[in-house]
Amino acid sequence: MFLSSNKHFGTAPTTPKPIHRLALCMALAAPCLAAAWAQAPAASIEPVTVQVCGQPVTYTTVPQRVVTHEVGITEMFLHLGLGDKFVGYSGMGDKKLVAAEYRPWLDKAVMLSKAYMNLETLVGSGADFMFAGWTYGFQDDALTPALLADYGISSYVLTESCIRKFDRKAVALQDTFDDMLNLGKIFR
């Protein structure tokens, strides 16, 4: 950081005083501390409630370790800038199916399954949140949001997929906007 000689000013720099060292350490540590604090679980965050398949679901914490299922869901999650919370994915056998701009995030995460994920794998990943859809990720005879809740894993069901499980109007582009807004609220 200091030059051994200072040709431009004709004198060598002086040894920094202890108070200057402390200020320098604080200045260098501040970004690291801020990043660590931002990633720490939010214990006192205000709960948020969003509609999931027409039902209110309340999230009391901001998820920190997220698993997604399927290409489109993974891309939506990463497009929202949430890659720092992305730890695993399933439902895609080839990373080339994902847009090139998101592939570096897949390289940092764990592929939990090329097809459907099972409960043991999901729990073993340490995930605290799963983002999937009905019949692509969630299935009545395998993983359901209710089953995951029993293991302390919250979830969000892609709105367009709710038509496979519940009576509702036809799928619409608005579903995608609603999902993005809901995820924004959950990951506030």
Side-chain angles (χ1 to χ4, degrees):
M1 181 159 208
F2 292 106
L3 301 173
S4 59
S5 68
N6 192 336
K7 295 182 220 175
H8 299 290
F9 296 101
T11 60
T14 59
T15 304
K17 307 254 185 277
I19 191 72
H20 295 151
R21 286 185 189 140
L22 177 61
L24 177 62
C25 287
M26 289 173 55
L28 293 174
C32 297
L33 291 172
W37 290 328
Q39 293 177 5
S44 62
I45 206 120
E46 202 56 39
V48 64
T49 301
V50 300
Q51 294 292 310
V52 179
C53 290
Q55 300 297 314
V57 176
T58 300
Y59 299 86
T60 58
T61 62
V62 176
Q64 300 298 310
R65 297 184 48 80
V66 178
V67 169
T68 61
H69 181 84
E70 196 264 333
V71 173
I73 288 171
T74 301
E75 286 180 338
M76 179 189 296
F77 185 79
L78 296 173
H79 179 76
L80 293 172
L82 299 169
D84 62 323
K85 299 185 183 315
F86 180 62
V87 298
Y89 61 96
S90 63
M92 60 181 101
D94 189 350
K95 292 179 188 178
K96 292 179 184 176
L97 297 172
V98 174
E101 65 197 88
Y102 305 123
R103 288 185 207 146
W105 289 108
L106 270 64
D107 292 337
K108 294 178 185 179
V110 177
M111 181 177 58
L112 299 168
S113 173
K114 289 183 178 183
Y116 285 92
M117 171 175 354
N118 63 41
L119 179 63
E120 293 79 15
T121 302
L122 184 61
V123 171
S125 74
D128 64 358
F129 186 89
M130 182 172 173
F131 179 25
W134 280 112
T135 72
Y136 36 105
F138 292 120
Q139 298 179 18
D140 283 325
D141 59 347
L143 289 179
T144 65
L147 177 63
L148 295 183
D150 290 343
Y151 289 85
I153 301 170
S154 59
S155 61
Y156 183 80
V157 179
L158 188 73
T159 302
E160 76 171 37
S161 74
C162 298
I163 201 166
R164 293 182 159 98
K165 183 89 171 130
F166 306 101
D167 283 339
R168 61 160 286 186
K169 295 185 252 178
V171 172
L173 184 58
Q174 185 62 45
D175 295 338
T176 301
F177 296 129
D178 291 343
D179 287 332
M180 293 171 85
L181 290 170
N182 285 342
L183 289 167
K185 291 174 185 174
I186 295 166
F187 289 91
R188 57 212 178 272

